[in-house]
Amino acid sequence: MAELPTPDLPPARCSGRFTISTLLGMEEGGRGPYTPTEGSSCDSAQPTQLSSSTLCTRTFGYNTVDVVPAYEHYANSKGVGDPRRGRPSLADLHSILKPDPGRRHTPVSDLQQSNGLPEAGPEAGLEEAEGEPGRDSVPEPVRFGWVKGVMIRCMLNIWGVILYLRLPWITAQAGIALTWLIILMSVTVTTITGLSISAISTNGKVKSGGTYFLISRSLGPELGGSIGLIFAFANAVAVAMHTVGFAETVRDLLQEHNSLIVDPTNDIRIIGVITVTVLLGISLAGMEWEAKAQILFFLVILVSFINYLVGTVIPATAEKQAKGFFSYRADIFAQNFVPNWRGPEGSFFGLFSIFFPSATGILAGANISGDLKDPAVAIPKGTLMAIFWTTMSYLVLSATIGACVVRDASGSLNDSVAVGSPGCEGLACSFGWNFTACTQQQSCRYGLSNYYQSMSMVSGFGPLITAGIFGATLSSALACLVSAPKVFQCLCKDQLYPLIGFFGKGYGRNSEPIRGYMLTYVIAVGFILIAELNAIAPIISNFFLCSYALINFSCFHASITNSPGWRPSFRYYSKWAALFGAVVSVVIMFLLTWWAALIAFGIVIFLLGYVLYKKPDVNWGSSMQASSYNMALNYSVGLSEVDEHIKNYRPQCLVLTGPPNFRPALVDFVGTFTKNLSLMLCGNVLIGPQKQKMPESRLMADGHTKWLMKRKIKAFYTDVVAEDLRSGVQMLIQAAGLGKMRPNILVLGYKRNWRTASPQSLEDYVGILHDAFDFKYGVCLMRMKEGLNVSRVLQAHVNPTFEAAQHPENGTGSRAAPGTVDPTTLASEQQASTIFQSKQGNKTIDIYWLFDDGGLTLLIPYLLGRKKRWGKCKIRVFVGGQINRMDEERKAIVSLLSKFRLGFHEVHILPDINQKPRPEHIKRFDDLIAPFRLNDGFKDEATVNEMRQGCPWKISDEEVDKNRAKSLRQVRLNEILLDYSRDAALIAITPPIGRKGRCPSALYMAWLETLSQDLRPPIILTRGNQENVLTFYCQ
């Protein structure tokens, strides 16, 4: 632990000892761990940035900068490496702590701010308020526990009209045994989904947004955004569905009493609109009132169940017996235990598709996650308990009604007969009723197979079953009316889709999405006015199933990626069960309605494609990111086990760009031929003291990467801090890359100012080329007439505070002033256009393959010509030759190129390459090297060595004479380039190699200067490492 310097100061006195447990206890008690307590005093004359009282309460009484673990240090965590204001930085502990005499005491409010606590405000994320200090000024929002907030809400949403009107009929069709199988199969899917929800919701703090929040934070914004939008819409339409179900029941009651308002269809519309308006009023009154209404509906349904169970044990009246009810009978149970398929829907999967929607609704509690006291406890416990109790109710209801009611009954009191009467067929004969006639004619109106209101008939008081139907439909409608805006509000705040941000605003202490409520109301009323939802209902069911599939897949995917961040406190889940649940959910989608499943998938794919195209700037640490890392790691390790082969050679480039935005042409050139093909690494050498440059490196790296992404360059950025340019490049050459994904070509800009630059920078530049060859790198130099470095333009138009680059024309190091440009400004600056971003038309790419370097001089132009912008350019190959053997040499080169399958058909032989250049050009070369000559005359070798010891870049007279022929060849080549390639789009040429230790730096730069001067098109000086990069063999 780094201690504060306390020379000649009285020691601090702390009467209280603070430990981790006491800090946590204070937090739970509503007191911040940094709030001064009675009876504790810390006095110190310590003149540091943190006062002694602060230090004492932030530790366990030990006078140190270090702090004990605390909640505030981890709350609202974002990305890796984000600084936390409450915890001292590594620099505070590791570097020298500078005293601040001006600050003797730290106010509590400032201290809370320093500990990362957000300021209180009506819209400052109220879901974060609980358990955090510094929130006293905000009214406490209404929060629910697991029973009231999740279990009751889920049970009400699971129970529906199918329970009352269809389950008895399903029992008659499938029999008790297969009905239980249908129930258990449906519950298996929902239970697996419930376990997946429990795992996801306990893997970190869950905020508002429900299903959308869980999926989007697990799988990322692409799938999360698409499912969030359709899930919110599905809930809005489900409000209309449940309301219409209620309205139809009321309409039927009115019809029985001949009291229709207008006509059957318009009555549904009138009742539905009035009902949804009342439900909206309950929702707008606040979550507390909505919860009270749900409890009322829950009690009504419980009373209806009790009423039904009591009715099963009450002796049957003659009227009920005529309708098929005979109380509990073993032979009725035995007959109804086996299936009796009838009608077009009389099949196992047909009945399964009818029943399964009644098992859904398990997401109702998770959808109000922002209104729960502790979502990590409430969601798993409440959801699983709701599934258990509703499953028990389904099993009990199917078993009891199957043991009490026969399948067919006439309902006529005249069908009573004496037991054992002749001509009577069926089970009812043994109970004194003859339903043979209606059974044979299939005209029975009553019995389990024919009468949907069997529960009402069996119950002790029929109207209570009708009240239960009302409670089930209205509670489901209310739950969906609350769920849709809550989910949609979270989606709007994330701004994944345009034009919906307006609905994200919250009001009141619970941040109620009133605008979202109104939008849901409008959608619901619109579908209620249609009054016929049979067409839209299957699509809505498939939307919910799509959510189940993605929740299960989220759990499976998060588990399979082995991310250290996947640590759910709920352990009773299985990744393979989650995968099974996801697959079964998709299968059920097609079993229910195949065309609706296709529509649901189409909408999800469309919304997914939109988010993929827009690429929202969000980072939620999704399992997709973890999966990408796993895949990259596995493939990279696997690649290391594969031996290299010439056929799989790829030009992997280390590009010495310095800051990439300084040399956009160099970036665009390499990015053009490496995109989707090979590795590109932009290297930058920060020259200066490590202590000064390291903060700049950390600050700027993210900005440079974003700049590359904005320019659509698929490349990495890396930088090193070094005392000089050459040592920094040596670090990059040796350390850049990973496994087999390591650079094999060094790309850098031509040093235009070599004649006026410092001699040491000239020596470093040529030394870098020698180092590249020493490490078996190919070398690619790029020269453009207007130069590569645009830093001065950026200084003038973007950020005048930039200092000039150390090496403005060589594409390498930089000495930018630290802290002058933030990454956001860098990434948002105006992009400079270059020649490599425009179409080249019908120009030519001229390749001067003068020396066999392994084929790299041919390969790079070939890869460039494959791109759309360069596709129309004609590629010409020039090689040296003798005038008396031109035809033979041309045929040999054409034959070689055809074996390489490069598609180069235009080959030119240069017979005059060895001619003597024009005198004025020779004189220009001599004038070029004149300032760099030693002019040693006829001095002996020892004297010459002594003269050049301090200036190794200079050229002795002997070296001029020895390299005279090579120098004249560069002059002649420049004349040829001007003659043949003045109007080319690009020139690629094999440069000469200067022998290390024998060719002075100035002479070698003079060769490159002479070879490439006065040329309008970009010129690429490419030299391979003398190893083959092309082959004409297939193995």
Side-chain angles (χ1 to χ4, degrees):
M1 298 174 72
E3 297 186 20
L4 291 175
T6 55
D8 305 323
L9 291 174
R13 299 189 307 276
C14 296
S15 62
R17 292 282 177 174
F18 288 77
T19 63
I20 295 175
S21 58
T22 57
L23 286 174
L24 293 176
M26 291 169 65
E27 180 194 351
E28 293 171 357
R31 301 180 62 112
Y34 307 133
T35 306
T37 57
E38 295 181 8
S40 66
S41 63
C42 293
D43 303 322
S44 174
Q46 179 79 31
T48 60
Q49 290 179 334
L50 297 173
S51 68
S52 295
S53 60
T54 302
L55 291 170
C56 288
T57 55
R58 283 160 63 91
T59 64
F60 41 84
Y62 185 52
N63 196 10
T64 176
V65 177
D66 248 337
V67 296
V68 296
Y71 172 88
E72 289 76 13
H73 302 160
Y74 299 91
N76 297 324
S77 295
K78 294 181 182 178
V80 176
D82 283 358
R84 304 302 305 143
R85 287 176 291 177
R87 183 190 301 123
S89 68
L90 190 60
D92 292 336
L93 301 175
H94 185 249
S95 304
I96 298 174
L97 186 64
K98 297 180 181 179
D100 183 4
R103 287 189 64 180
R104 297 292 297 272
H105 299 285
T106 304
V108 172
S109 59
D110 293 344
L111 187 56
Q112 289 175 344
Q113 293 261 335
S114 71
N115 291 330
L117 305 180
E119 295 181 4
E123 298 175 19
L126 295 179
E127 65 274 2
E128 291 289 339
E130 186 175 74
E132 294 185 14
R135 290 283 191 172
D136 296 339
S137 61
V138 181
E140 185 68 23
V142 177
R143 298 284 190 244
F144 303 113
W146 69 273
V147 176
K148 192 175 180 181
V150 181
M151 188 186 77
I152 291 178
R153 191 175 299 273
C154 286
M155 291 177 70
L156 289 172
N157 216 24
I158 293 171
W159 284 328
V161 292
I162 292 177
L163 169 69
Y164 292 97
L165 303 182
R166 290 294 183 271
L167 189 56
W169 173 78
I170 292 173
T171 304
Q173 289 268 2
I176 296 174
L178 291 184
T179 300
W180 276 38
L181 181 60
I182 289 173
I183 293 171
L184 293 176
M185 284 177 59
S186 303
V187 169
T188 298
V189 177
T190 56
T191 302
I192 291 173
T193 307
L195 295 175
S196 298
I197 293 173
S198 303
I200 297 173
S201 62
T202 58
N203 189 52
K205 190 168 184 177
V206 178
K207 300 182 182 179
S208 61
T211 306
Y212 161 70
F213 184 88
L214 296 177
I215 296 177
S216 62
R217 270 53 175 182
S218 296
L219 289 179
E222 296 83 8
L223 280 171
S226 58
I227 205 65
L229 197 59
I230 65 173
F231 187 76
F233 177 76
N235 272 283
V237 179
V239 175
M241 289 177 56
H242 294 301
T243 305
V244 167
F246 168 78
E248 285 180 348
T249 308
V250 176
R251 189 270 316 269
D252 293 341
L253 289 174
L254 293 176
Q255 274 186 321
E256 288 181 12
H257 298 86
N258 296 320
S259 302
L260 288 176
I261 304 172
V262 181
D263 57 65
T265 302
N266 284 318
D267 279 11
I268 293 177
R269 292 170 177 159
I270 294 170
I271 297 169
V273 170
I274 293 174
T275 303
V276 78
T277 304
V278 173
L279 294 178
L280 176 67
I282 296 174
S283 302
L284 293 178
M287 289 297 295
E288 196 169 359
W289 283 96
E290 187 267 348
K292 291 177 180 178
Q294 293 286 31
I295 292 176
L296 176 62
F297 293 140
F298 182 71
L299 294 176
V300 169
I301 293 176
L302 284 183
V303 170
S304 71
F305 279 169
I306 296 171
N307 171 53
Y308 159 75
L309 293 174
V310 169
T312 60
V313 297
I314 295 176
T317 62
E319 183 179 350
K320 287 188 176 183
Q321 288 183 357
K323 294 180 179 181
F325 173 62
F326 297 99
S327 293
Y328 290 106
R329 300 294 174 97
D331 45 0
I332 295 178
F333 180 85
Q335 186 187 54
N336 288 337
F337 191 78
V338 295
N340 181 21
W341 309 113
R342 298 182 186 182
E345 296 172 333
S347 65
F348 181 81
F349 284 109
L351 295 177
F352 177 81
S353 64
I354 292 173
F355 174 78
F356 183 79
S358 68
T360 59
I362 61 172
L363 300 178
N367 286 337
I368 64 162
S369 55
D371 297 296
L372 301 175
K373 290 180 181 177
D374 189 353
V377 173
I379 292 176
K381 198 172 182 180
T383 303
L384 295 176
M385 289 298 291
I387 293 173
F388 173 76
W389 288 117
T390 53
T391 302
M392 294 302 298
S393 67
Y394 286 145
L395 295 175
V396 168
L397 193 149
S398 63
T400 53
I401 205 162
C404 296
V405 185
V406 295
R407 283 193 170 103
D408 295 294
S410 63
S412 174
L413 295 174
N414 297 326
D415 288 339
S416 62
V417 294
V419 177
S421 298
C424 182
E425 298 177 0
L427 186 62
C429 297
S430 60
F431 306 134
W433 292 87
N434 185 4
F435 301 139
T436 306
C438 75
T439 303
Q440 292 176 347
Q441 297 172 8
Q442 296 184 353
S443 60
C444 296
R445 294 177 54 199
Y446 293 94
L448 282 182
S449 296
N450 309 295
Y451 189 46
Y452 289 153
Q453 302 284 350
S454 295
M455 276 189 68
S456 179
M457 180 264 294
V458 170
S459 64
F461 184 59
L464 284 179
I465 298 298
T466 304
I469 295 174
F470 288 173
T473 53
L474 292 178
S475 63
S476 297
L478 186 57
C480 292
L481 183 59
V482 171
S483 296
K486 295 283 185 181
V487 173
F488 193 58
Q489 182 185 35
C490 185
L491 180 64
C492 294
K493 288 182 177 180
D494 288 338
Q495 299 180 345
L496 300 183
Y497 297 100
L499 307 177
I500 63 173
F502 172 79
F503 298 100
K505 184 175 176 60
Y507 296 87
R509 57 182 181 175
N510 270 59
S511 189
E512 295 289 348
I514 294 179
R515 296 173 180 176
Y517 281 130
M518 299 309 298
L519 178 64
T520 305
Y521 173 76
V522 170
I523 294 174
V525 168
F527 280 95
I528 288 171
L529 295 178
I530 297 174
E532 181 57 56
L533 296 176
N534 290 338
I536 197 72
I539 300 178
I540 302 306
S541 298
N542 275 304
F543 281 169
F544 288 119
L545 275 169
C546 212
S547 304
Y548 291 179
L550 283 177
I551 286 174
N552 284 310
F553 182 73
S554 299
C555 181
F556 166 75
H557 197 264
S559 302
I560 206 72
T561 53
N562 293 322
S563 172
W566 175 250
R567 302 185 302 274
S569 56
F570 183 86
R571 300 291 183 182
Y572 306 104
Y573 73 96
S574 167
K575 59 185 176 185
W576 301 115
L579 179 62
F580 173 76
V583 173
V584 170
S585 298
V586 174
V587 171
I588 294 174
M589 288 176 67
F590 285 93
L591 284 177
L592 292 179
T593 320
W594 65 268
W595 57 266
L598 292 177
I599 292 175
F601 274 111
I603 295 174
V604 170
I605 291 172
F606 172 78
L607 295 173
L608 171 67
Y610 176 83
V611 179
L612 285 172
Y613 173 75
K614 294 297 290 184
K615 294 181 180 177
D617 186 18
V618 294
N619 182 14
W620 296 325
S622 67
S623 62
M624 288 297 182
Q625 294 174 334
S627 177
S628 298
Y629 177 85
N630 278 0
M631 290 175 62
L633 181 62
N634 291 334
Y635 283 130
S636 297
V637 173
L639 198 61
S640 299
E641 302 172 0
V642 179
D643 292 332
E644 294 179 353
H645 194 283
I646 301 173
K647 285 201 305 181
N648 292 325
Y649 174 85
R650 294 169 186 261
Q652 304 189 114
C653 300
L654 171 59
V655 192
L656 299 184
T657 58
N661 59 319
F662 279 13
R663 296 169 181 85
L666 192 63
V667 171
D668 290 340
F669 164 65
V670 181
T672 301
F673 69 81
T674 58
K675 187 175 183 179
N676 299 325
L677 176 80
S678 60
L679 173 70
M680 176 181 174
L681 198 63
C682 294
N684 182 18
V685 179
L686 297 171
I687 302 170
Q690 182 177 2
K691 184 177 179 181
Q692 175 186 350
K693 291 297 179 180
M694 281 302 294
E696 178 186 343
S697 171
R698 290 193 298 265
L699 176 68
M700 300 303 296
D702 186 52
H704 290 312
T705 301
K706 289 181 178 179
W707 184 89
L708 291 168
M709 292 171 61
K710 183 179 179 181
R711 202 171 181 86
K712 297 182 179 179
I713 299 293
K714 295 188 176 182
F716 298 99
Y717 169 83
T718 186
D719 52 33
V720 294
V721 179
E723 294 297 328
D724 59 80
L725 176 63
R726 186 175 180 181
S727 61
V729 175
Q730 287 173 344
M731 294 179 197
L732 287 172
I733 289 176
Q734 295 179 80
L738 182 70
K740 292 293 175 69
M741 296 183 63
R742 299 178 62 87
N744 50 30
I745 299 174
L746 182 70
V747 183
L748 66 164
Y750 177 73
K751 187 173 180 64
R752 295 176 67 202
N753 65 338
W754 65 274
R755 283 172 289 180
T756 57
S758 66
Q760 186 57 47
S761 68
L762 171 62
E763 192 73 10
D764 284 349
Y765 183 77
V766 176
I768 288 170
L769 303 182
H770 289 308
D771 293 337
F773 289 130
D774 287 340
F775 287 108
K776 289 287 188 179
Y777 272 57
V779 171
C780 183
L781 290 173
M782 180 179 176
R783 181 176 187 180
M784 295 181 67
K785 187 175 182 180
E786 62 274 16
L788 294 173
N789 195 309
V790 298
S791 60
R792 288 188 174 84
V793 178
L794 293 176
Q795 291 168 33
H797 295 91
V798 178
N799 195 338
T801 60
F802 253 114
E803 294 181 3
Q806 166 78 3
H807 301 277
E809 297 301 337
N810 64 5
T812 48
S814 64
R815 286 185 184 264
T820 54
V821 176
D822 63 278
T824 306
T825 304
L826 181 62
S828 61
E829 73 178 23
Q830 185 177 359
Q831 298 277 346
S833 60
T834 66
I835 186 175
F836 298 97
Q837 292 181 315
S838 57
K839 292 185 177 180
Q840 299 303 311
N842 297 317
K843 297 179 182 178
T844 63
I845 298 177
D846 291 349
I847 304 173
Y848 288 82
W849 196 24
L850 304 178
F851 306 102
D852 190 353
D853 60 345
L856 187 63
T857 306
L858 295 174
L859 182 61
I860 290 179
Y862 165 74
L863 296 175
L864 201 64
R866 290 168 52 179
K867 302 301 179 181
K868 186 176 180 181
R869 291 170 180 155
W870 297 79
K872 293 184 179 180
C873 291
K874 182 170 63 174
I875 298 181
R876 303 187 299 178
V877 180
F878 297 84
V879 295
Q882 299 178 11
I883 194 168
N884 57 347
R885 297 183 55 208
M886 286 182 59
D887 290 340
E888 293 86 346
E889 290 179 349
R890 185 181 183 281
K891 288 179 182 178
I893 293 298
V894 169
S895 175
L896 179 61
L897 293 178
S898 66
K899 287 182 172 62
F900 288 148
R901 306 174 307 283
L902 296 174
F904 301 164
H905 302 297
E906 189 171 341
V907 177
H908 298 270
I909 305 297
L910 303 174
D912 52 353
I913 192 170
N914 289 319
Q915 288 183 3
K916 189 174 181 179
R918 291 197 288 269
E920 60 271 22
H921 292 158
I922 297 175
K923 183 179 184 304
R924 184 169 63 175
F925 175 79
D926 292 336
D927 294 340
L928 181 65
I929 64 173
F932 301 95
R933 295 186 61 168
L934 279 174
N935 296 317
D936 50 316
F938 298 101
K939 297 182 177 66
D940 56 36
E941 186 176 352
T943 306
V944 172
N945 290 336
E946 186 178 348
M947 290 176 62
R948 64 181 309 171
Q949 189 170 5
C951 45
W953 57 87
K954 288 204 171 185
I955 314 165
S956 67
D957 293 348
E958 182 182 4
E959 288 165 339
V960 172
D961 295 336
K962 281 184 179 180
N963 294 286
R964 190 62 178 176
K966 198 170 186 177
S967 300
L968 294 180
R969 189 184 304 128
Q970 312 313 315
V971 179
R972 177 59 188 152
L973 283 173
N974 179 253
E975 293 176 351
I976 293 173
L977 293 177
L978 291 170
D979 290 339
Y980 288 94
S981 302
R982 189 182 298 272
D983 298 320
L986 182 77
I987 300 173
I989 188 170
T990 312
I993 289 184
R995 195 171 295 277
K996 185 169 63 171
R998 297 294 181 183
C999 178
S1001 303
L1003 180 59
Y1004 184 68
M1005 289 303 300
W1007 289 346
L1008 299 183
E1009 176 74 24
T1010 301
L1011 178 63
S1012 59
Q1013 65 187 354
D1014 298 334
L1015 292 168
R1016 186 195 60 80
I1019 181 166
I1020 311 299
L1021 302 161
T1022 307
R1023 188 79 194 210
N1025 62 359
Q1026 302 304 112
E1027 294 181 1
N1028 289 352
V1029 300
L1030 298 172
T1031 181
F1032 43 75
Y1033 294 110
C1034 62
Q1035 62 180 12

